[in-house]
């Protein structure tokens, strides 16, 4: 692979990728994708006067998920690596979720666009003298080789980062109420589509059958909901009869041998009994809608909206609810859906009365008084259809707010950062990801942002259980094993920005998604609420291998309506949803293993107060299944369980906060992995321990805390720096 001639970006064969995928070769096509990456890396190594890949192999730096906690810890890791002259030796920078905040910040500040066009602007790099956030050891009593004095520009950049730890509510008019307003906007723009359309369906289902029956039997007082209730009773009777027949026919007292016909009958019962029960429950529930008072229905809808918003907030920040989540989410789903049905039914009845000019004298009819103009229902439905078709879901969801705040904090306009001014980041807002780097002018490690491709409805049981596949966003290619890879210049019509890619990689709340394929957001009731109300940080994309139409964008009908009627979360659909890469793998290790790194350094600052290493175990399991790669760790040449190494009390805390291990590739080759773990170690400086004394959960404070104070940012940064400084001293030969 290392000796292949890199093909141009546009030469990857989509047909070959599709055939390889159908044959089950998950990593087929990667060699071609690597071509463009390796051409860039070769140019980068030549610029830095480093040995070729055939001599020392590839190296990658991974930054884990964990929100602002991971970003601030990794800031110290990057500073120490730059101070020790090691950051320039990495070919790849792989990030996921919160790790992407700081990784994207470095990628942005190393680019020409990030540095601006003025000759007075600082020219940042990866050396001690010009790393954007400085390399000076934060420990005032430090001595040794890693002693540098930061420049004024480096000090200003770090000060800007430190003072913006509360990135979601930066001030200057953008406050917590702004975030709340955006959440309400997402729900409102969804309800003005959902309610009129549901009401129209109710009107159709109620009025049309009634008119047909009245035409033939005018003496009957028709109420379609009475028939629905009768239907539910009939369905229950059918299910009961089927059960009795099953009990009489299936057992065989004469022989214990199985017969094919009886097995098929059992399968039929198992398959369709559930369907009959669903029909019975649904028709009975719908038939009761008219009996619910309008005020109760409105209150239920409002309560469901509030609970739905709370679910979104809880899941997006990794916090559990005050009550058991299963009960909480089920209650929210029932209230919201039933409230929606009741309100839609009343609106449908009002629309019918307004259009026909008649009053339906039923106990559940709305008190209209004077009739409204007959055309108002038509206008309401037209607005719903128009908004449902032409509103781009990616732009009205909370994800856009999240994206803009990340961009303004971690990809600021350079002049704003130099003056510590909170404001818009105009350059990053329009800067395309594909334009950030070039082979002609390499400026930093090749950055891969990892996201999760939602495949909860995939045919493959493996993909369904995992919940997705690792989907990369990078300057040259975007894609995954399941979809194939497309040139970033063509993906989304070339409009993908680094800011959007960073937000998508950290989209911690999305329907039918969850860490490692698990979690409350995989629950059907939660997913229905989140989908209907567009309460998601996820990002819809057209399938990478389909023709990219200029005006194709996700809307309320496709994919939202389709995802509610049929589980559309599979690779065969027109639109695919990307979410937090941590849903698949939270160390961003997967793609580095796929590329067979000789050296991988991982910054792990995921919330892990008990040192269970769930993220590491998940990554190890996935790379073993997909690539046949085994990873083991050792101390002083002896194998060790990472859990045992870090689980210590104050009297036996370790000297180092890292572990080194071996990567055993399927072809017999080996690599080195160094895991840097956010942990308390011996002899930390006064600033870190003072913060620890006040905050016992440090350095594993909840991911729910996404609003860091200045001293909190600095504590994590100092810890990352010190652990990495000691790692370099201990592992210099491996590096």
């Amino acid at each position: 692979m290392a000796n292949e001639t890199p093909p141009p970006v546009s030469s990857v064969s989509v047909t070959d990728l599709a055939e390889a995928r159908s044959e089950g070769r998950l990593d087929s096509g990667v060699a071609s994708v690597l071509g463009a990456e390796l051409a860039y890396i070769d140019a980068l190594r030549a610029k830095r006067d480093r040995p070729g890949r055939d001599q020392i192999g590839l190296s990658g730096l991974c930054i884990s998920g964990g929100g602002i906690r991971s970003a601030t810890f990794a800031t110290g890791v990057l500073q120490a690596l730059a101070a020790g002259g090691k950051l320039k030796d990495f070919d790849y920078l792989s990030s996921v979720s919160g790790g992407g905040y700081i990784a994207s910040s470095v990628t942005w500040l190393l680019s020409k666009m990030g540095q601006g066009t003025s000759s007075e602007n600082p020219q940042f790099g990866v050396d001690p003298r010009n790393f954007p956030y400085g390399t000076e050891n934060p420990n005032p009593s430090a001595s040794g080789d890693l002693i540098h004095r930061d420049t004024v520009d480096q000090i200003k950049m770090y000060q800007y980062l430190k003072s913006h730890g509360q990135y979601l509510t930066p001030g200057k008019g953008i406050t917590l109420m702004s975030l709340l307003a955006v959440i309400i906007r997402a729900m409102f723009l969804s309800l003005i589509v959902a309610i009129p359309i549901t009401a129209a369906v109710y009107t159709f289902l109620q009025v049309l059958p009634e008119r047909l029956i009245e035409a033939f039997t005018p003496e009957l007082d028709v109420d379609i909901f009475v028939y629905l209730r009768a239907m539910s009773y009939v369905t229950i009777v059918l299910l009961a009869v089927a059960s009795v027949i099953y009990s009489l026919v299936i057992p065989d007292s004469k022989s214990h041998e199985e017969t094919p016909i009886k097995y098929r009958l059992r399968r039929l019962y198992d398959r369709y009994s559930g369907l009959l029960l669903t029909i019975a429950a649904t028709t009975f529930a719908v038939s009761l809608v008219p009996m619910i008072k309008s005020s109760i229905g409105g209150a239920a809808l409002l309560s469901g909206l509030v609970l739905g918003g709370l679910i979104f907030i809880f899941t997006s920040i990794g916090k559990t609810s005050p009550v058991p989540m299963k009960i909480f989410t089920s209650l929210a789903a029932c209230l919201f859906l039933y409230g929606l049905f009741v309100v839609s039914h009343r609106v449908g009845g009002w629309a019918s009365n307004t259009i026909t000019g008649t009053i339906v004298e039923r106990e559940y009819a709305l008190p209209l008084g004077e009739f409204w103009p007959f055309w108002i229902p038509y206008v309401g439905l037209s607005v719903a259809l128009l908004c449902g078709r032409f509103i781009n879901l990616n732009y009205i969801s909370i994800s856009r707010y999240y994206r803009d705040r990340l961009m303004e904090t971690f990809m600021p306009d350079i002049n704003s950062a130099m003056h510590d001014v909170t404001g818009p980041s105009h350059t990053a807002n329009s800067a395309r990801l594909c334009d950030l780097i070039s082979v002609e002018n390499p400026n930093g490690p090749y950055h891969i942002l990892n996201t999760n491709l939602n495949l909860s409805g995939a045919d493959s049981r493996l993909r369904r259980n995992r919940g997705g596949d690792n989907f990369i966003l990078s300057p040259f290619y975007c894609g995954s094993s399941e979809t194939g890879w497309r040139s970033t210049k063509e993906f989304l019509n070339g409009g993908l920005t680094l800011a959007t890619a960073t937000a998508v990689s950290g989209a911690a709340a999305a329907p039918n998604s969850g860490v490692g394929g698990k979690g409350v957001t995989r629950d059907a009731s939660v997913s229905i609420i989140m989908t209907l109300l567009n309460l998601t940080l996820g990002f819809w994309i057209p399938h990478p291998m389909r023709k990219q139409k200029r005006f194709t964008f996700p809307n309320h009908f496709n994919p939202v309506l389709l995802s509610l009627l049929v589980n559309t979360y599979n690779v065969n659909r027109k639109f695919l949803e990307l979410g937090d890469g941590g849903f698949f793998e939270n160390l961003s290790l997967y793609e580095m293993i796929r590329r067979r790194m000789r050296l991988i350094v991982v910054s792990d600052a995921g919330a892990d107060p008990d040192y269970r290493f769930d993220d590491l175990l998940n990554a190890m399991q996935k790379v073993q299944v997909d690539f046949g790669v085994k990873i083991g760790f050792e101390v002083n040449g002896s194998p060790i369980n990472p859990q045992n190494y870090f689980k210590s009390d104050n009297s036996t805390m370790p000297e180092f906060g890292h572990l080194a291990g071996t990567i055993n590739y399927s072809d017999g080759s080996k690599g080195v992995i160094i895991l840097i773990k956010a942990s308390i170690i011996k002899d930390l400086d006064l600033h870190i321990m003072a913060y620890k004394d006040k905050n016992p959960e440090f350095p594993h404070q909840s991911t729910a805390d996404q609003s860091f104070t200045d001293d909190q940012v600095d504590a994590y940064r100092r810890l990352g720096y010190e652990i990495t400084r000691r790692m370099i001293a201990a592992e210099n030969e491996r590096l």
Side-chain angles (χ1 to χ4, degrees):
M1 182 175 67
N3 297 322
E4 291 177 351
T5 302
V9 172
S10 60
S11 68
V12 175
S13 168
V14 175
T15 303
D16 290 345
L17 288 173
E19 291 177 353
R21 189 169 62 251
S22 67
E23 294 170 5
R25 291 181 281 122
L26 292 175
D27 61 346
S28 181
V30 174
S32 297
V33 174
L34 274 176
E37 298 176 5
L38 296 180
Y40 174 84
I41 289 169
D42 287 341
L44 183 65
R45 288 193 172 201
K47 181 178 180 179
R48 295 175 178 171
D49 195 26
R50 292 184 60 221
R53 289 180 283 109
D54 56 339
Q55 295 178 265
I56 61 172
L58 296 168
S59 58
L61 173 61
C62 301
I63 304 181
S64 78
I68 190 70
R69 180 189 57 250
S70 177
T72 52
F73 178 82
T75 300
V77 173
L78 290 163
Q79 287 178 316
L81 288 172
K86 302 298 182 181
L87 187 57
K88 62 181 175 57
D89 294 335
F90 288 100
D91 301 303
Y92 284 93
L93 177 60
S94 180
S95 67
V96 61
S97 196
Y101 302 174
I102 191 63
S104 294
S105 184
V106 171
T107 295
W108 173 246
L109 293 172
L110 294 182
S111 71
K112 280 190 173 182
M113 286 181 283
Q115 295 176 13
T117 56
S118 173
S119 59
E120 298 179 357
N121 290 339
Q123 302 300 304
F124 293 126
V126 292
D127 294 323
R129 67 182 184 280
N130 60 12
F131 182 67
Y133 293 114
T135 59
E136 184 175 339
N137 194 326
N139 186 349
S141 61
S143 61
D145 296 334
L146 302 190
I147 297 295
H148 303 279
R149 292 290 176 260
D150 289 341
T151 65
V152 173
D153 290 336
Q154 289 173 314
I155 292 173
K156 287 181 177 179
M157 282 305 306
Y158 177 66
Q159 179 58 41
Y160 181 85
L161 182 70
K162 186 170 74 168
S163 63
H164 284 74
Q166 299 173 337
Y167 67 98
L168 288 175
T169 54
K172 284 206 166 184
I174 302 178
T175 64
L176 182 62
M177 295 304 291
S178 304
L179 176 58
L180 180 60
V182 171
I183 295 174
I184 293 174
R185 180 192 68 190
M187 293 191 290
F188 169 73
L189 291 175
S190 298
L191 287 177
I192 64 171
V193 175
I195 290 178
I197 292 177
T198 308
V201 172
Y202 262 122
T203 302
F204 178 81
L205 292 176
Q206 181 174 342
V207 174
L208 182 61
E210 289 180 357
R211 295 296 182 265
L212 290 175
I213 294 173
E214 289 173 354
F216 296 98
T217 55
E219 68 279 3
L220 293 179
D221 182 18
V222 180
D223 186 346
I224 190 63
F225 292 98
V226 173
Y227 288 91
L228 284 175
R229 193 151 51 247
M231 179 181 172
S232 67
Y233 298 152
V234 170
T235 307
I236 291 293
V237 171
L238 287 176
L239 188 58
V241 171
S243 299
V244 172
I245 295 175
Y246 173 89
S247 65
L248 294 174
V249 173
I250 293 300
D252 190 342
S253 59
K254 297 179 180 179
S255 173
H256 294 289
E257 295 182 2
E258 181 68 282
T259 60
I261 184 64
K262 291 189 176 182
Y263 174 62
R264 284 195 290 269
L265 287 173
R266 282 206 315 277
R267 288 276 299 175
L268 284 173
Y269 181 88
D270 294 343
R271 182 175 182 179
Y272 291 107
S273 59
L275 177 61
L276 287 173
L277 189 59
T278 301
I279 293 174
T282 303
T283 53
F284 184 75
V286 172
S287 73
L288 295 180
V289 166
M291 300 180 183
I292 307 299
K293 291 184 177 180
S294 301
S295 58
I296 296 177
L301 179 62
L302 181 60
S303 300
L305 289 173
V306 172
L307 291 176
L310 291 175
I311 290 172
F312 169 77
I313 293 172
F314 288 146
T315 54
S316 62
I317 62 178
K319 187 177 178 64
T320 57
S321 66
V323 297
M325 185 59 86
K326 185 67 176 178
I327 299 175
F328 184 71
T329 55
S330 298
L331 176 62
C334 291
L335 286 173
F336 172 74
L337 292 175
Y338 222 70
L340 177 64
F341 291 156
V342 172
V343 171
S344 298
H345 173 261
R346 300 304 189 272
V347 172
W350 165 79
S352 175
N353 294 345
T354 302
I355 293 170
T356 61
T358 60
I359 297 179
V360 178
E361 294 183 356
R362 290 196 177 120
E363 58 182 359
Y364 54 79
L366 283 175
L368 292 176
E370 296 294 328
F371 288 112
W372 288 36
F374 76 94
W375 46 264
I376 287 184
Y378 294 110
V379 172
L381 182 59
S382 298
V383 169
L385 294 173
L386 187 68
C387 292
R389 171 62 183 86
F390 293 105
I391 285 181
N392 188 327
L393 295 181
N394 288 332
Y395 281 82
I396 66 169
S397 69
I398 302 93
S399 64
R400 207 65 184 177
Y401 178 95
Y402 176 56
R403 177 246 192 210
D404 290 347
R405 302 293 82 76
L406 286 176
M407 176 180 69
E408 291 158 7
T409 297
F410 295 96
M411 291 159 264
D413 284 346
I414 193 68
N415 291 330
S416 296
M418 288 291 103
H419 293 89
D420 198 20
V421 175
T422 298
S425 183
H426 294 294
T427 310
N429 184 56
S430 57
R432 302 193 307 166
L433 180 59
C434 60
D435 294 333
L436 286 183
I437 66 171
S438 67
V439 175
E440 293 73 26
N441 186 29
N443 50 28
Y446 187 82
H447 190 183
I448 293 177
L449 295 104
N450 297 274
T451 74
N452 179 66
L453 170 64
N454 190 335
L455 295 176
S456 57
D459 294 334
S460 164
R461 186 175 180 83
L462 175 66
R463 292 299 184 201
R464 286 201 309 276
N465 289 341
R466 288 181 173 181
D469 188 23
N470 202 70
F471 191 104
I472 68 168
L473 303 174
S474 74
F476 291 157
Y477 283 104
C478 298
S480 71
S481 297
E482 286 292 300
T483 62
W485 292 266
R486 193 180 187 96
S487 164
T488 307
K489 290 184 177 179
E490 300 173 351
F491 181 65
L492 296 178
N493 295 308
L496 180 65
T497 64
L498 178 62
T500 298
T502 305
V504 175
S505 179
N512 287 294
S513 299
V515 177
K518 302 176 182 178
V520 67
T521 45
R522 287 298 301 271
D523 185 85
S525 59
V526 176
S527 296
I528 289 173
I529 294 178
M530 296 179 71
T531 301
L532 272 175
L533 296 178
N534 199 21
L535 290 175
T536 178
L537 294 176
F539 190 82
W540 291 100
I541 61 167
H543 195 294
M545 295 298 105
R546 291 179 181 265
K547 185 177 180 180
Q548 305 279 290
K549 296 180 180 179
R550 186 173 180 81
F551 297 107
T552 298
F553 52 81
N555 56 63
H556 286 283
F557 301 132
N558 188 8
V560 168
L561 183 59
L562 283 178
S563 67
L564 292 173
L565 297 176
V566 182
N567 192 338
T568 59
Y569 295 100
N570 63 65
V571 77
N572 301 316
R573 301 301 180 180
K574 179 179 181 180
F575 285 103
L576 308 173
E577 188 178 39
L578 302 181
D580 195 311
F583 293 158
F584 182 82
E585 190 267 292
N586 202 43
L587 295 182
S588 67
L589 183 62
Y590 188 83
E591 294 296 332
M592 297 298 94
I593 294 294
R594 188 203 293 271
R595 286 159 175 76
R596 296 181 180 274
M597 300 289 110
R598 174 197 64 85
L599 170 67
I600 301 176
V601 175
V602 181
S603 171
D604 178 9
D608 189 15
D610 298 324
Y611 296 100
R612 294 172 52 186
F613 286 86
D614 289 339
D615 291 339
L616 177 62
L617 293 171
N618 174 56
M620 291 170 64
Q621 187 269 340
K622 282 185 167 67
V623 299
Q624 182 170 356
V625 170
D626 292 357
F627 308 125
V629 173
K630 295 182 179 180
I631 298 174
F633 293 89
E634 66 268 350
V635 172
N636 298 324
S638 300
I640 190 171
N641 183 339
Q643 296 173 330
N644 297 332
Y645 180 79
F646 286 100
K647 283 184 177 178
S648 56
D649 56 33
N650 291 335
S651 62
T652 60
M653 63 178 60
E655 180 181 356
F656 297 99
H658 75 277
L659 282 176
T662 302
I663 307 169
N664 297 283
Y665 291 105
S666 57
D667 63 356
S669 61
K670 295 183 182 297
V672 172
I673 182 171
I674 299 176
L675 181 74
I676 298 172
K677 185 72 171 177
S679 55
I680 298 299
I681 57 178
K682 290 181 180 178
D683 303 324
L684 291 171
D685 71 54
L686 178 62
H687 291 79
I688 299 175
M689 295 312 297
Y691 185 83
K692 171 69 174 176
D693 289 341
K694 295 178 183 178
N695 303 274
E697 301 88 359
F698 175 83
H700 296 285
Q701 289 163 301
S702 172
T703 309
D705 184 2
Q706 288 295 300
S707 183
F708 270 29
T709 59
D710 287 17
D711 61 336
Q712 196 172 9
V713 170
D714 208 44
Y716 277 96
R717 189 268 301 208
R718 286 171 177 269
L719 181 64
Y721 191 105
E722 180 60 19
I723 290 176
T724 306
R725 183 193 69 80
R726 296 189 196 182
M727 181 276 292
I728 293 173
E731 308 291 344
N732 191 54
E733 292 186 4
R734 296 179 192 254
L735 295 168

